[in-house]
Amino acid sequence: MAKAEFVRGMFNDISHKYDLLNDVLSVGTHRLWKKHFVNLVLKNKPQSALDCATGTGDIAFELKKHISGEVVGIDFSEGMIDHAQAREKASPQKVTFKVADIMKLPFGDKTFDVATISFGIRNVEDLSLGLSELGRVAKAVYILEFGQPKNKILAASYFGMLRIYVPVFGLISKRKDAYEYLIASSEKFPSDEKFLEVFKANTNFKTYQSIPVFGGIAYIYYGTN
Ligand SMILES: C[S@@+](CC[C@H](N)C(=O)[O-])C[C@H]1O[C@@H](n2cnc3c(N)ncnc32)[C@H](O)[C@@H]1O
């Protein structure tokens, strides 16, 4: 099965438990990481934003608290977008949510001041195409993604802990393959300089930066002009 089809099916299946799973798995810390990420994005003072692989919309809602212009969230999982739209109805933050694929974004060149993606780029089947689409539709791109800590002891204990702890994810989600995928994809996904190489090769910004979060368990990458 193609990666995109597997990923979409998996996120559709777990969409109704996704927010709970995130809180359980990260012991709530994903909220702090996302806040830190959004604060960095806002330093650029964007007036419009596209949040890709938005899931249930965490980043899009947080951005909309500070952005007066349009904020759009897209995801290719209908289940995730249904949840984001249900949240939007009950929220003071008005965000437009749409089903769309990062590999073929339905927006013109440089439509948005910024495009963001949190814990999504690792899942995109064609990484180069996904990055070039993000760079095409926005004037700046900010990415939050898992990586591998450089410190070997931290890396071994973190991935060791994930193997013990993450099966909880399988129990709650009833998708054993989903947690296996989470570990395997985080262990292998290019991080830091390796990711920046692919980012630079597929976009055309003046400045690029990679910032480790929690010693490299995750990274924030950005490209701006
Ligand atoms: C781990 S979730 C992240 C959700 C949210 N951004 C967050 O930080 O909580 C990854 C999301 O990426 C979406 N996704 C993966 N590949 C995609 C693609 N090619 N186009 C759009 N969404 C995609 C999945 O459907 C899923 O909702």
Side-chain angles (χ1 to χ4, degrees):
M1 188 199 295
K3 177 175 168 175
E5 215 178 300
F6 166 77
V7 169
R8 184 167 46 228
M10 179 178 80
F11 282 106
N12 271 334
D13 280 359
I14 65 171
S15 57
H16 59 296
K17 288 182 183 154
Y18 179 75
D19 291 335
L20 170 70
L21 286 166
N22 259 350
D23 280 334
V24 172
L25 270 178
S26 72
V27 206
T29 54
H30 75 104
R31 293 168 189 267
L32 299 176
W33 294 22
K34 286 173 178 170
K35 235 187 162 90
H36 177 55
F37 176 62
V38 167
N39 285 341
L40 202 72
V41 174
L42 292 170
K43 283 197 174 154
N44 232 0
K45 303 211 181 325
Q47 293 306 305
S48 59
L50 173 68
D51 183 43
C52 292
T54 194
T56 57
D58 282 357
I59 299 294
F61 286 118
E62 197 57 38
L63 284 169
K64 186 59 196 169
K65 286 183 192 163
H66 310 274
I67 293 180
S68 54
E70 192 180 25
V71 176
V72 177
I74 67 103
D75 199 290
F76 74 174
S77 153
E78 295 84 359
M80 289 294 208
I81 289 295
D82 284 350
H83 280 269
Q85 285 171 337
R87 272 178 85 181
E88 200 265 348
K89 284 205 178 84
S91 165
Q93 272 80 47
K94 292 300 138 202
V95 176
T96 307
F97 289 105
K98 287 184 190 198
V99 175
D101 193 325
I102 290 163
M103 294 186 286
K104 202 177 174 201
L105 288 170
F107 306 103
D109 295 355
K110 308 296 172 202
T111 302
F112 299 94
D113 283 354
V114 70
T116 53
I117 178 164
S118 128
F119 303 118
I121 199 70
R122 181 181 93 254
N123 298 298
V124 176
E125 177 154 19
D126 185 334
L127 175 61
S128 300
L129 179 57
L131 288 170
S132 84
E133 277 294 87
L134 291 171
R136 181 183 66 75
V137 301
K139 294 168 199 155
V141 172
Y142 283 73
I143 298 165
L144 172 63
E145 190 50 85
F146 288 120
Q148 301 92 34
K150 288 233 161 58
N151 180 308
K152 290 205 163 50
I153 297 169
L154 176 61
S157 27
Y158 169 65
F159 286 111
M161 183 209 68
L162 273 191
R163 273 195 203 86
I164 296 166
Y165 182 55
V166 168
V168 173
F169 183 86
L171 282 178
I172 304 177
S173 68
K174 299 199 174 70
R175 288 277 314 236
K176 186 170 177 284
D177 54 346
Y179 74 77
E180 282 162 358
Y181 169 80
L182 174 74
I183 301 177
S185 61
S186 304
E187 257 176 335
K188 283 191 211 126
F189 192 69
S191 70
D192 205 10
E193 305 90 354
K194 284 189 186 149
F195 183 85
L196 279 187
E197 264 174 44
V198 193
F199 193 13
K200 285 180 188 171
N202 292 285
T203 53
N204 199 13
F205 295 110
K206 284 192 188 125
T207 309
Y208 290 87
Q209 189 73 45
S210 160
I211 303 169
V213 184
F214 276 99
I217 287 174
Y219 286 83
I220 292 173
Y221 308 100
Y222 62 81
T224 54
N225 284 319

